[in-house]
Amino acid sequence: MSDKVSFITNFLELFKFVDQKDKIKFFFCILMMVVTSLLEVLSIGILIPYVTIILSPEKILNFNRFEFLDFQHYSFFELQLIFTIFFCFSIIFANLFKIYVLYLSVRLSKIISLNISSDIYKKLIFLEYRDLKKINSAQVISLVTDKMEAVGSIILNFLNTCVAILITFGVILLLLFINFK
């Protein structure tokens, strides 16, 4: 439990050093993750009507949730084709959006670690000479390069964990919703 608390505490402490515009990008990325989870739930939720229309297309005509759509004018083959196209489109769109969110996450983690690294370097540049002389240059190089790469990895892993949790939560809610109906 203390590891989780220290990770959250360390992450919040790190988040204090993030610029305001990067914080806005971070929350935009979280919003896009919510949209990704909704699209994932939608693409999984379409699976049930799709399988129904493929295996027994006559059942879709009796399904009262689609009564606003007039399926009587279409043949079973046309219904199967329409649902197949819609199902494939929803899967492709959800996965393309997921790739976009992954791109946003990677880019944001790199930008945040680069900005923190630049801030550290700027503070080191403007140190007094006698203070700068006391600092080991190998530590400075390690801090600006290697440690900031680790910070970027932490941010990326945090964002990927958020995506996974949101998608899992959405799928569980969908399954509970279907089970109760």
Side-chain angles (χ1 to χ4, degrees):
M1 182 68 178
S2 65
D3 290 339
K4 291 179 184 178
V5 172
S6 66
F7 174 76
I8 293 171
T9 305
N10 289 339
F11 187 79
L12 292 175
E13 189 70 31
L14 175 68
F15 204 66
K16 291 178 185 176
F17 295 104
V18 176
D19 295 340
Q20 188 67 28
K21 63 178 182 148
D22 291 338
K23 286 180 183 178
I24 292 171
K25 290 178 185 177
F26 183 82
F27 290 118
F28 176 73
C29 192
I30 297 289
L31 177 70
M32 291 294 105
M33 291 175 188
V34 171
V35 172
T36 299
S37 68
L38 291 174
L39 288 173
E40 193 75 23
V41 167
L42 177 72
S43 64
I44 292 171
I46 292 173
L47 183 66
I48 295 168
Y50 176 68
V51 171
T52 303
I53 198 79
I54 295 297
L55 296 178
S56 53
E58 64 278 351
K59 284 187 178 179
I60 203 72
L61 297 176
N62 299 330
F63 201 57
N64 58 3
R65 291 188 190 204
F66 293 125
E67 61 189 23
F68 63 93
L69 298 172
D70 192 18
F71 289 135
Q72 306 297 332
H73 296 41
Y74 299 106
S75 69
F76 289 144
F77 176 74
E78 289 172 333
L79 286 174
Q80 289 173 338
L81 183 64
I82 290 169
F83 270 82
T84 300
I85 291 170
F86 186 67
F87 179 71
C88 290
F89 177 75
S90 69
I91 295 293
I92 290 170
F93 184 71
N95 285 322
L96 285 176
F97 203 82
K98 191 187 290 188
I99 290 170
Y100 172 70
V101 169
L102 181 63
Y103 167 76
L104 277 179
S105 300
V106 169
R107 188 167 178 246
L108 182 64
S109 67
K110 294 295 182 187
I111 287 172
I112 289 174
S113 64
L114 180 70
N115 287 343
I116 292 173
S117 177
S118 295
D119 289 344
I120 290 171
Y121 187 71
K122 285 176 188 174
K123 287 183 182 181
L124 286 172
I125 291 294
F126 291 114
L127 279 177
E128 293 289 327
Y129 178 71
R130 67 176 171 265
D131 294 333
L132 188 62
K133 212 167 121 177
K134 295 176 187 175
I135 298 174
N136 185 358
S137 63
Q139 289 177 336
V140 172
I141 293 170
S142 172
L143 178 68
V144 172
T145 57
D146 297 336
K147 303 286 193 273
M148 286 303 114
E149 195 66 35
V151 167
S153 296
I154 289 170
I155 293 169
L156 180 62
N157 289 334
F158 177 78
L159 291 172
N160 287 338
T161 303
C162 288
V163 168
I165 288 171
L166 287 170
I167 289 174
T168 303
F169 184 69
V171 169
I172 289 172
L173 282 178
L174 174 73
L175 292 174
L176 289 174
F177 178 74
I178 290 172
N179 193 25
F180 286 126
K181 290 286 179 177

